[in-house]
Amino acid sequence: MSNQSVIKFAQELLVSEDPGTISPAMISAKIDQVLAFQPAWREGFDLDAAIAELVRRFSVWVGTDSTIRNDEGHRPWLEASRKSDWRYWQRYREYLEARMSLAAVDGLDRSTDMILGMLEDPLRDGAWDRRGLVVGHVQSGKTGNYTGLICKAADAGYKIIIVLAGLHNNLRSQTQMRLDEGFLGYETRPIADDIREIGVGLVDRDPSIRPNYVTNRTNNGDFSTARANTLGITPEQRPWLFVVKKNKTVLERLLGWVRHHVADAQDENGRKIVKRLPLLLIDDEADHASVDTGEQIFDEDGNPDPEHQPTAINSLTRKIVHTFSRSAYVGYTATPFANIFIHERGETKEEGPDLFPSAFIVNLAAPSSYVGPAQIFGLRSTAGRTPGLPLYREVDDHMSEDGRNGWMPHTHRNGYAPRSDRETGIPATLEAAIDSFLIACAVRRLRGQGDAHSSMLVHVTRFTSVQKIVHQKVEEYILSLRQRLGRQIGHEDAEARLGQLWLADFVPTSQASAESFGTLAGDAVLPAWPDVLEAIRLIIADIDVRMINGTAKDALDYADQTGPGLKVIAIGGDKLSRGLTLEGLCVSYFLRTSKMYDTLMQMGRWFGYRPGYIDLCRLYTTGELAGWFGHIADAAEELREEFDLMAASGATPREYGLKVQSHPVLLVTSRLKMRSAKSFMLSFSGQVSETITLFTDETVLKRNLDAATDLVRRLGEGEDNPERRRGDGIQRWQGRLWNNVAATDVIAFLNSYRTHPEAYKVNSVLLAEFITKMNLVNELTSWTVAVVGGGRGVSHPLAEGLDVAMLRRSSDGVEGRYSIGRLLSPRDEALDLDKDEWDAAMAITTSGWKPDPARSRSVESPSDPSGPAIRRVRGEGMDGQGGHPERGLLLIYLLDPAEAGRNVPAGLPPVVAFGISFPASESGTKVEYKVNNVAWMQEYGGAD
């Protein structure tokens, strides 16, 4: 505790200093001042660890949040004077300042002010209902954000606060513990006599402001029948907190209690309602279980069927909100796809409106200390993927090549017994992952982080029976190591293996992390190997191997742990896949096979904050899953980029919802959530389609080369090596460009070209059909076509007088395909814009750009217009005037297969790749994408 107190007060002394002048020497001097006031804190104080923590905190910067809102019927109310005596928030802020950088706390203060201000003033009379959605990066601190929102809402006058916290007891219990610390200030126990103050309760101990609680932190602490029968709420000053599971029985109990014990009026239909107490309902993981997956019918005027019966959790959540005449609903999620598919006009008599975020959607930016998908897997670019932190290690020894045999095959069922021919009974990669965890724990101890928790996650199967065997084998492996290293009997092989891992992996990884990701890695220094080995001998006795199967005790002893931190290897499955936080997660071993964007994203427990030990973290997973996480990072980035542009232009949540619903990338979210059994209706308007997954089959490549050659011959002469004025300079392209090309020529090319079945966003036949349908409404009728050369590549004669310099792009190395990062650059996508249009797209890009370190480490604004801005200007014109929705852009490239690298055979013909940039359109034209259930399940695995 003394370390934390010294850091808090030293941080306050440093706030007034110029951030550019803060150095380790200055920090040390401030710490000396604090210790002069409190000499007792010197005992056990770790000066180096405190200096390192403060250096990290003062190097943190926080990105800018982005908001789309609809203020219809809303009255602005939140002013600085209203916050002057907000004690719940003040004590939470002080609690956070001991644990976080002031920049991060200020960022949370700003974002919670913004969210609360878009809700209604709880003191406002009359009926009101505000619904919003907060989108944060995975494991980026959403719980901390809504805890801050709850504190401020209680200060402002919200009286009933309900938090819907996951589907399982362990997540509900963990959320209750977090709110005990951050809002209530004391431990919630079944018997309330023994008040044990914790968290904010130690900052401000005044019992007169202590909020009331209904649910408690125990495994069975959810809202119960016994509690419902004895609980009565009187209109008093202090707010009431309920933390409940998304469970039909629990929510029915809660709804019944609200109607019978809290309701104080009736509406015109005789329905019991609550008028005197305003409600704030926080829906954690709002895309999970809360979305109505039944299909609601609408008549030709767009009016919903009032007798529609929604799915249970959705129905009960809406009924609870609908029972309060003054209510605010805020969903929190990292994967908003399903929420945006909620119909904005969905409504029934009993449930009231559906949970569409009609008032606002907020995209939270992350602090620069956050490590997310873009930091680990990079983002796709024309030069391949941008490099990520060097923490990923490929797992390729868990099953046979056909996926049917081995230790953990794809197709295993409940009751399967994992088999390995190794003495330990587990694959070599899992042994290496466990060894890495031991090294990480040891180094953390030597860096002064021994009192912090450290965790390892093993997520390889959803079946409890299989998890038990994995648990047994991992425990046996740890026991064997404990005996050898602890007793120094037969220890030579184990020590040699650990030493080799240290030299081959940890030393170069820490060095690379510091060189390329200095902001995240800091100046963390690796200790000497003999010290690490000695620390491993000391800590191996503390390693605890656990199964996580849904009870609170499994994962949640952290809260009650004092002294040295827990060192836990958690073996789990679906119970670990949503929301549950494993404190100090260092190593993950992950083999889950689902490819749903939202399901996979939520499983990324390894994203988050790793101060002072990011260089020690490891993610062991398959090459295929690493590729899918790359897709996720790209999809999330595309949606956030579109969101920022719409926020800058004043769009409403409904307009954003319509935009996202046509996004081809969302083919891979849960089909139930997309309310479609057999097919999807897709629009490509305002999108870019580019072939980044290509064939390595010679016959197909020749066919595609013929398709490009035929098109170029038909088009004849064009503009060679075009030049365009851009800003203050001139941009030049190699190749040839044609204007005013008929749509029939582009359609003929697409019908002749064969796209790879794994090119999820590009299907040439579907694109041809879409253009044909758009022609019926006089759109996409006149095309710009360009063959773009690549500079340094070998030339290939595509047609008479047209030698094309082939692009040099390396493949991702997966056998049977040639897969690259990005094909199009924004520079190429703007090729058909004139100077004024380019300037307009640049202005839109700059106005919508928000720095967010979870997406890019750069704080520099863009130098080229973004793809969405280019497509908007092309379709809608400048300031909404003079758009050209008839104008499409087709870009054709030749890739040099000789430069592709591994798994692309030698001697192949040039690989033709294309990109199409579609202008924005208001026509609403869509095409049908058909897929059968069997094919879907084979490709993407089960939904969550």
Side-chain angles (χ1 to χ4, degrees):
M1 189 65 189
S2 64
N3 253 38
Q4 206 171 68
S5 301
V6 173
I7 288 168
K8 180 178 187 297
F9 288 112
Q11 179 171 253
E12 288 176 6
L13 291 175
L14 287 160
V15 168
S16 58
E17 303 289 344
D18 177 358
T21 66
I22 294 175
S23 64
M26 181 188 286
I27 290 170
S28 183
K30 299 294 185 188
I31 288 173
D32 284 343
Q33 288 181 36
V34 174
L35 292 174
F37 285 119
Q38 287 285 355
W41 286 350
R42 290 184 187 276
E43 187 178 342
F45 178 68
D46 188 329
L47 177 63
D48 290 341
I51 290 173
E53 172 64 17
L54 285 165
V55 167
R56 274 193 298 276
R57 290 192 184 189
F58 279 95
S59 64
V60 168
W61 61 278
V62 180
T64 307
D65 301 332
S66 199
T67 306
I68 288 176
R69 59 193 294 170
N70 178 8
D71 285 339
E72 188 180 340
H74 172 61
R75 289 185 197 164
W77 63 280
L78 187 55
E79 297 171 342
S81 59
R82 185 73 179 270
K83 295 175 63 179
S84 59
D85 59 347
W86 280 13
R87 291 174 69 182
Y88 293 127
W89 165 248
Q90 190 51 46
R91 66 181 193 168
Y92 183 55
R93 183 185 175 105
E94 286 187 37
Y95 169 75
L96 291 179
E97 285 173 354
R99 290 158 178 78
M100 294 163 59
S101 76
L102 292 181
V105 178
D106 285 341
L108 187 138
D109 189 8
R110 284 194 303 273
S111 65
T112 48
D113 263 8
M114 177 178 61
I115 296 163
L116 181 65
M118 289 187 291
L119 302 178
E120 222 52 60
D121 182 351
L123 307 183
R124 177 181 168 182
D125 289 331
W128 43 262
D129 176 355
R130 294 284 284 173
R131 302 183 185 210
L133 182 70
V134 179
V135 182
H137 299 281
V138 177
Q139 294 282 298
S140 65
K142 293 185 294 297
T143 308
N145 188 282
Y146 69 66
T147 302
L149 178 64
I150 286 169
C151 290
K152 289 181 175 179
D155 279 320
Y158 279 90
K159 294 302 181 195
I160 305 281
I161 298 166
I162 298 171
V163 179
L164 303 184
L167 300 181
H168 304 296
N169 283 328
N170 56 7
L171 181 52
R172 190 214 68 82
S173 181
Q174 186 181 64
T175 304
Q176 179 84 54
M177 289 179 182
R178 295 282 298 274
L179 288 166
D180 286 1
E181 286 185 349
F183 174 52
L184 295 177
Y186 56 98
E187 286 190 355
T188 51
R189 302 281 181 193
I191 299 166
D193 298 344
D194 178 25
I195 296 289
R196 183 183 163 201
E197 292 170 331
I198 56 170
V200 294
L202 300 172
V203 177
D204 183 343
R205 294 174 180 263
D206 183 355
S208 70
I209 66 164
R210 207 175 271 155
N212 298 297
Y213 72 95
V214 181
T215 53
N216 66 63
R217 61 172 36 210
T218 63
N219 195 42
N220 299 316
D222 211 335
F223 191 72
S224 65
T225 307
R227 196 82 177 102
N229 290 338
T230 59
L231 183 67
I233 284 195
T234 54
E236 55 178 294
Q237 286 305 303
R238 293 185 290 168
W240 286 81
L241 176 69
F242 301 72
V243 182
V244 297
K245 281 196 306 294
K246 295 186 190 182
N247 173 283
K248 182 171 180 280
T249 306
V250 172
L251 293 177
E252 282 173 342
R253 267 185 223 137
L254 182 56
L255 176 63
W257 174 79
V258 168
R259 285 179 170 171
H260 296 112
H261 293 83
V262 189
D264 57 347
Q266 292 186 340
D267 67 8
E268 61 276 10
N269 299 318
R271 192 174 57 88
K272 289 183 175 180
I273 57 170
V274 181
K275 277 192 168 181
R276 62 194 165 93
L277 300 173
L279 166 76
L280 170 63
L281 189 144
I282 302 286
D283 187 355
D284 196 6
E285 308 292 352
D287 63 310
H288 196 42
S290 304
V291 177
D292 178 17
T293 52
E295 186 158 8
Q296 183 161 356
I297 307 301
F298 295 82
D299 64 22
E300 57 249 20
D301 297 323
N303 298 313
D305 171 14
E307 303 304 319
H308 167 69
Q309 184 52 54
T311 46
I313 306 299
N314 173 271
S315 168
L316 289 162
T317 302
R318 287 162 58 187
K319 283 175 179 173
I320 290 168
V321 174
H322 197 40
T323 303
F324 288 79
S325 68
R326 297 183 293 156
S327 65
Y329 167 93
V330 185
Y332 276 77
T333 182
T335 47
F337 305 150
N339 304 78
I340 296 203
F341 284 108
I342 296 170
H343 200 291
E344 77 283 351
R345 291 178 67 179
E347 188 166 351
T348 64
K349 201 160 46 182
E350 273 293 297
E351 285 85 4
D354 207 341
L355 300 176
F356 183 80
S358 53
F360 61 85
I361 306 172
V362 175
N363 253 337
L364 294 179
S368 57
S369 51
Y370 172 73
V371 179
Q375 279 65 53
I376 294 181
F377 299 102
L379 291 170
R380 66 195 181 109
S381 71
T382 50
R385 296 203 76 75
T386 58
L389 278 157
L391 310 180
Y392 153 64
R393 304 289 178 268
E394 185 169 357
V395 175
D396 57 6
D397 58 353
H398 62 295
M399 64 180 184
S400 59
E401 282 191 16
D402 62 6
R404 295 180 181 173
N405 297 296
W407 182 69
M408 199 62 65
H410 277 325
T411 52
H412 73 271
R413 299 183 182 280
N414 203 5
Y416 172 74
R419 292 181 293 274
S420 171
D421 55 8
R422 297 182 64 79
E423 186 184 337
T424 57
I426 57 177
T429 50
L430 181 50
E431 291 175 20
I434 296 168
D435 292 349
S436 296
F437 179 58
L438 295 175
I439 291 174
C441 291
V443 176
R444 291 195 73 194
R445 175 189 172 106
L446 292 168
R447 285 180 178 171
Q449 297 186 343
D451 288 347
H453 303 303
S454 294
S455 305
M456 175 177 175
L457 162 66
V458 180
H459 187 321
V460 296
T461 175
R462 62 192 176 92
F463 299 116
T464 306
S465 64
V466 187
Q467 290 166 26
K468 281 180 180 172
I469 299 171
V470 176
H471 174 271
Q472 176 195 335
K473 294 297 181 186
V474 171
E475 198 160 48
E476 287 171 2
Y477 182 75
I478 288 289
L479 284 171
S480 169
L481 275 178
R482 190 177 294 162
Q483 288 170 343
R484 293 178 186 194
L485 297 176
R487 296 180 183 176
Q488 293 287 282
I489 300 169
H491 57 286
E492 294 85 359
D493 286 352
E495 288 184 2
R497 191 180 68 245
L498 287 162
Q500 175 60 27
L501 182 64
W502 173 260
L503 287 173
D505 187 332
F506 279 80
V507 172
T509 299
S510 289
Q511 187 177 347
S513 299
E515 287 173 359
S516 303
F517 292 85
T519 310
L520 288 172
D523 55 359
V525 178
L526 286 181
W529 172 243
D531 296 335
V532 176
L533 185 57
E534 182 57 33
I536 291 173
R537 289 195 191 102
L538 293 172
I539 59 101
I540 194 164
D542 299 328
I543 303 291
D544 190 5
V545 185
R546 299 186 184 179
M547 260 185 73
I548 308 298
N549 59 21
T551 65
K553 184 179 186 320
D554 285 329
L556 305 171
D557 285 354
Y558 302 119
D560 299 319
Q561 182 80 3
T562 55
L566 288 173
K567 295 163 185 64
V568 177
I569 298 178
I571 318 283
D574 293 349
K575 303 290 190 300
L576 276 172
S577 67
R578 263 192 184 265
L580 197 67
T581 300
L582 290 168
E583 302 281 348
L585 183 61
C586 300
V587 178
S588 297
Y589 190 88
F590 186 80
L591 300 180
R592 177 69 183 239
T593 55
S594 168
K595 295 180 193 169
M596 301 291 181
Y597 270 46
D598 43 9
T599 307
L600 261 182
M601 187 86 129
Q602 287 292 350
M603 291 177 178
R605 300 294 100 200
W606 48 84
F607 303 132
Y609 302 97
R610 305 287 181 267
Y613 65 102
I614 186 63
D615 60 318
L616 309 175
C617 296
R618 298 291 181 270
L619 168 58
Y620 284 80
T621 192
T622 62
E624 183 184 40
L625 275 175
W628 273 91
F629 275 107
H631 281 312
I632 288 169
D634 298 334
E637 173 58 23
E638 284 180 23
L639 287 174
R640 283 177 179 269
E641 191 177 52
E642 188 68 63
F643 185 95
D644 288 347
L645 286 186
M646 297 192 82
S649 67
T652 65
R654 180 176 185 272
E655 289 167 307
Y656 180 63
L658 294 172
K659 183 81 179 175
V660 172
Q661 284 182 41
S662 65
H663 196 300
V665 103
L666 298 188
L667 277 173
V668 278
T669 193
S670 165
R671 298 184 59 212
L672 273 177
K673 293 173 186 172
M674 293 180 70
R675 304 161 186 256
S676 180
K678 303 288 184 196
S679 63
F680 309 104
M681 297 304 293
L682 283 184
S683 167
F684 294 96
S685 293
Q687 304 291 339
V688 65
S689 292
E690 53 187 319
T691 53
I692 58 171
T693 302
L694 302 145
F695 284 98
T696 55
D697 178 280
E698 186 172 359
T699 308
V700 179
L701 293 180
K702 281 182 175 173
R703 166 181 163 169
N704 289 348
L705 186 59
D706 289 344
T709 303
D710 289 347
L711 175 63
V712 168
R713 282 179 183 151
R714 278 200 309 276
L715 298 182
E717 293 182 13
E719 180 185 355
D720 283 332
N721 302 324
E723 296 182 354
R724 298 289 183 268
R725 177 162 289 284
R726 298 293 182 245
D728 295 330
I730 299 287
Q731 285 183 357
R732 297 175 177 84
W733 285 262
Q734 293 182 35
R736 186 174 293 174
L737 178 144
W738 298 265
N739 284 312
N740 303 316
V741 174
T744 50
D745 287 323
V746 174
I747 291 166
F749 165 73
L750 290 171
N751 281 327
S752 301
Y753 185 100
R754 188 171 165 203
T755 40
H756 197 285
E758 287 184 31
Y760 301 109
K761 291 172 62 177
V762 192
N763 178 314
S764 54
V765 175
L766 209 60
L767 291 169
E769 184 188 338
F770 177 71
I771 295 167
T772 303
K773 287 183 93 170
M774 291 293 276
N775 285 178
L776 298 176
V777 291
N778 293 318
E779 296 193 9
L780 298 180
T781 52
S782 177
W783 285 74
T784 301
V785 177
V787 175
V788 181
R792 300 188 309 274
V794 175
S795 288
H796 176 82
L798 189 61
E800 192 174 337
L802 179 58
D803 284 359
V804 181
M806 291 192 283
L807 272 67
R808 298 158 73 170
R809 295 287 175 82
S810 57
S811 174
D812 66 5
V814 175
E815 201 164 344
R817 70 183 192 199
Y818 177 7
S819 193
I820 62 174
R822 277 218 72 174
L823 180 66
L824 271 63
S825 68
R827 177 183 184 276
D828 292 353
E829 200 181 344
L831 179 54
D832 65 327
L833 301 189
D834 63 26
K835 181 183 182 305
D836 289 344
E837 289 171 330
W838 190 91
D839 288 343
M842 193 68 234
I844 291 171
T845 302
T846 306
S847 69
W849 181 79
K850 297 277 195 307
D852 182 351
R855 298 157 63 182
S856 165
R857 314 314 294 173
S858 172
V859 291
E860 302 292 325
S861 58
S863 56
D864 280 303
S866 69
I870 291 165
R871 300 188 287 274
R872 180 187 294 181
V873 166
R874 187 185 296 124
E876 298 173 3
M878 294 169 281
D879 300 320
Q881 301 295 315
H884 295 281
E886 77 281 359
R887 221 172 76 196
L889 173 67
L890 169 64
L891 298 166
I892 295 172
Y893 303 81
L894 300 187
L895 310 186
D896 188 345
E899 301 288 340
R902 57 193 182 127
N903 286 328
V904 175
L908 293 177
V911 178
V912 176
F914 72 83
I916 299 180
S917 179
F918 290 100
S921 167
E922 300 295 320
S923 74
T925 301
K926 295 184 179 182
V927 287
E928 188 174 30
Y929 180 94
K930 289 197 171 91
V931 61
N932 67 57
N933 282 308
V934 175
W936 182 273
M937 293 304 289
Q938 284 174 344
E939 185 54 46
Y940 299 118
D944 46 14

